[in-house]
């Protein structure tokens, strides 16, 4: 098979590229990325030199470029990880999110349609469902939960999801969508909670916790996410949405305190700062459908994995200090 993986130089896309090359060594992978501030070929490591891998720099919203690429290669599968991914940036600069996150997927869908690609998979997010109340710990997002995005980022992702499903209903393009919760792992750009907090703690700088720190995120290892996406690509039903989560809810304050404990730094470094506008209170994913239909279940828990991730950022300060 020949795959196109977009956003292949980003955090999750690079993990997925390495995952696919390791687990499906007979396949050919083209990794496409615009190499924005968030993308780096260093994230791909040895995979960049794998004879079954080819890197292409390009913008998914560039119709002419995408047409040329799809005309040259005959892709069986397209997986779209490419996006502007940071909520805070979407609040300060919403415009660029429309191009990458809405127009980009539409260009890819149209190009898949034109060249008869066998499967288009859209990497979406639990943020499209909006926020759950803190006082209802028994409530979870299912695939039937209404789209209720709060930020320009999540609104752009929800828009793309609607477009993906429109291409299924209107043109019968074989599509799937996965909506995953917050990922942790190596090589995450240090604007996101975990690497940002490690970075601040190592420097003895205040750790900026938005609002009260009681907001809850449902964390999943990036490795578990990659495995779930692979299962969907191979066995997911066209036109379907699959939630991906590990049932591992933590308050932001818990995450920050664990990082400080791991690094032997005092909790007095925590600094409560102004809340993120429109800050979603709680995300919690019901991934029962992925389990029932695909037999997928997360294998990792944050309690065991977070120390390893923190250690990786400590050992790889070169990698992330250059990214500030
Ligand atoms: P990231 O910001 O680390 O990587 C995104 C990559 O996309 C970067 O390498 C960037 O250069 C590339 N890119 C951006 N615009 C592009 C364009 N127009 N054309 C081509 N490439 C472009 O993000 P991430 O955390 O790896 O997220 C990957 C995907 O997973 C995104 O779609 C995001 O919405 C989704 N997601 C992320 C999480 C999470 O916790 N990080 C959770 C659920 C879903
Ligand atoms: O400095 C910070 N202080 C803080 O309190 C940062 C960067 C974040 N936070 C809070 C905000 C969130 O409640 O921590 C939580 C996690 O923040 P982010 O790492 O920015 O992630 P989040 O906004 O939850 O979105 C992430 O998960 C869903 C990804 O960035 C998205 O791409 C994905 O769709």
């Amino acid at each position: 098979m020949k795959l196109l993986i977009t956003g292949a130089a980003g955090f999750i896309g690079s993990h997925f590229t390495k995952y696919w090359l390791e687990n499906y060594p007979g396949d050919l992978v083209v990794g496409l990325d615009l190499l924005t501030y968030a993308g780096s070929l260093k994230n791909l490591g040895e995979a960049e030199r794998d004879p079954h891998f080819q890197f292409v720099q390009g913008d998914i919203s560039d119709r002419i470029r995408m047409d040329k690429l799809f005309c040259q290669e005959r892709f069986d599968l397209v997986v779209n990880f490419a996006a502007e991914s940071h909520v805070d940036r979407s609040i300060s600069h919403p415009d660029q999110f429309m191009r990458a996150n809405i127009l980009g997927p539409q260009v890819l869908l149209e190009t898949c349609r034109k060249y008869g690609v066998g499967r288009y998979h859209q990497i979406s997010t639990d943020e499209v469902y909006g926020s759950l109340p803190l006082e209802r710990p028994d409530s979870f997002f299912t695939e039937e939960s209404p789209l209720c995005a709060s930020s320009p980022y999540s609104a752009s992702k929800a828009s793309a999801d609607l477009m993906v499903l429109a291409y299924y209903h209107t043109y019968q393009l074989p599509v799937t969508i996965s909506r995953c919760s917050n990922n942790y792992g190596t090589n995450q750009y240090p604007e996101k909670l975990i690497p940002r907090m490690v970075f601040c703690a190592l420097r003895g700088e205040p750790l900026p916790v938005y609002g009260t720190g009681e907001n809850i995120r449902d964390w999943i290892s990036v490795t578990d996410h990659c495995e779930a996406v692979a299962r969907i690509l191979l066995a997911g039903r066209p036109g379907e949405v699959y939630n991906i989560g590990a049932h591992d809810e933590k308050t932001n304050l818990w995450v920050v305190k664990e990082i400080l404990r791991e690094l032997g730094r005092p909790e007095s470094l925590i600094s409560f700062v102004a809340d993120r506008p429109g800050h979603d209170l709680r995300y919690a994913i019901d991934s029962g459908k992925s389990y029932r239909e695909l037999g997928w279940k997360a294998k990792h828990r944050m309690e065991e994995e977070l120390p390893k991730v923190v250690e990786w950022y400590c050992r790889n300060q070169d990698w992330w200090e250059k990214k500030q």
Side-chain angles (χ1 to χ4, degrees):
M1 273 201 306
K2 191 179 261 191
L3 273 80
L4 174 65
I5 301 175
T6 67
F11 165 48
I12 310 175
S14 62
H15 277 276
F16 185 77
T17 301
K18 291 182 268 189
Y19 175 91
W20 198 275
L21 288 167
E22 270 165 35
N23 288 281
Y24 303 96
D27 289 350
L28 296 172
V29 175
V30 174
L32 178 121
D33 201 295
L34 184 56
L35 297 179
T36 67
Y37 76 94
S40 168
L41 287 175
K42 279 172 82 179
N43 291 340
L44 287 162
E46 290 298 306
E48 203 196 333
R49 285 172 290 283
D50 188 311
H52 293 97
F53 179 75
Q54 187 200 339
F55 180 76
V56 174
Q57 187 170 3
D59 184 340
I60 56 165
S61 66
D62 180 342
R63 263 176 225 286
I64 296 167
R65 183 90 175 80
M66 290 307 105
D67 192 271
K68 212 169 150 193
L69 178 68
F70 279 63
C71 182
Q72 279 165 0
E73 315 276 350
R74 200 175 160 74
F75 297 120
D76 301 294
L77 294 176
V78 172
V79 195
N80 180 33
F81 288 91
E84 288 290 341
S85 68
H86 193 43
V87 173
D88 293 330
R89 282 181 194 258
S90 84
I91 294 169
S92 55
H93 296 92
D95 296 15
Q96 62 211 53
F97 283 68
M98 306 304 117
R99 187 170 181 88
N101 296 4
I102 306 176
L103 184 61
Q106 192 273 327
V107 167
L108 289 175
L109 287 160
E110 189 55 29
T111 319
C112 283
R113 183 166 88 91
K114 179 172 173 186
Y115 290 98
V117 172
R119 173 66 64 91
Y120 174 87
H121 182 74
Q122 173 71 5
I123 302 294
S124 185
T125 168
D126 59 359
E127 298 202 14
V128 298
Y129 298 124
S131 188
L132 291 166
L134 289 179
E135 62 280 8
R136 286 279 318 276
D138 57 335
S139 56
F140 298 92
F141 297 130
T142 70
E143 290 81 356
E144 275 71 49
S145 299
L147 299 185
C148 196
S150 316
S151 69
Y153 162 73
S154 48
S156 69
K157 295 294 289 185
S159 307
D161 285 9
L162 293 175
M163 189 62 75
V164 172
L165 293 174
Y167 266 72
Y168 174 72
H169 293 295
T170 308
Y171 307 112
Q172 292 79 50
L173 186 75
V175 302
T176 39
I177 296 175
S178 53
R179 295 185 180 139
C180 188
S181 59
N182 285 59
N183 285 219
Y184 57 83
T186 61
N187 299 88
Q188 188 170 31
Y189 190 78
E191 64 191 350
K192 306 284 167 42
L193 181 71
I194 293 173
R196 185 179 192 191
M197 295 299 153
V198 176
F199 171 80
C200 290
L202 285 175
R203 298 204 159 171
E205 289 170 2
L207 277 62
V209 171
Y210 301 159
T212 61
E214 293 306 323
N215 303 60
I216 291 172
R217 294 294 180 264
D218 193 352
W219 291 94
I220 185 171
S221 140
V222 66
T223 314
D224 282 327
H225 184 187
C226 290
E227 196 180 300
V229 172
R231 293 269 182 106
I232 297 169
L233 288 178
L234 298 173
R237 288 184 293 132
E240 293 295 316
V241 176
Y242 294 91
N243 280 353
I244 305 175
H247 244 301
D248 210 358
E249 292 178 52
K250 303 282 184 252
T251 64
N252 292 339
L253 210 46
W254 182 91
V255 174
V256 172
K257 285 182 178 174
E258 279 297 299
I259 291 171
L260 286 170
R261 203 173 57 78
E262 274 307 311
L263 296 172
R265 304 288 158 128
E267 289 188 7
S268 57
L269 280 175
I270 294 174
S271 166
F272 292 97
V273 299
D275 209 353
R276 173 185 277 175
H279 197 175
D280 288 335
L281 291 172
R282 173 175 168 253
Y283 302 144
I285 277 273
D286 176 343
S287 40
K289 178 177 173 183
S290 296
Y291 180 63
R292 285 188 304 276
E293 289 196 13
L294 309 167
W296 174 86
K297 209 173 171 198
K299 294 183 183 124
H300 300 93
R301 309 292 304 165
M302 211 188 193
E303 272 88 349
E304 290 93 60
E305 297 304 310
L306 187 59
K308 298 179 207 165
V309 170
V310 170
E311 200 212 328
W312 186 89
Y313 286 107
C314 290
R315 272 193 287 109
N316 291 277
Q317 290 182 45
D318 275 6
W319 172 83
W320 54 271
E321 274 179 352
K322 287 198 189 85
K323 295 197 156 220
Q324 293 307 302

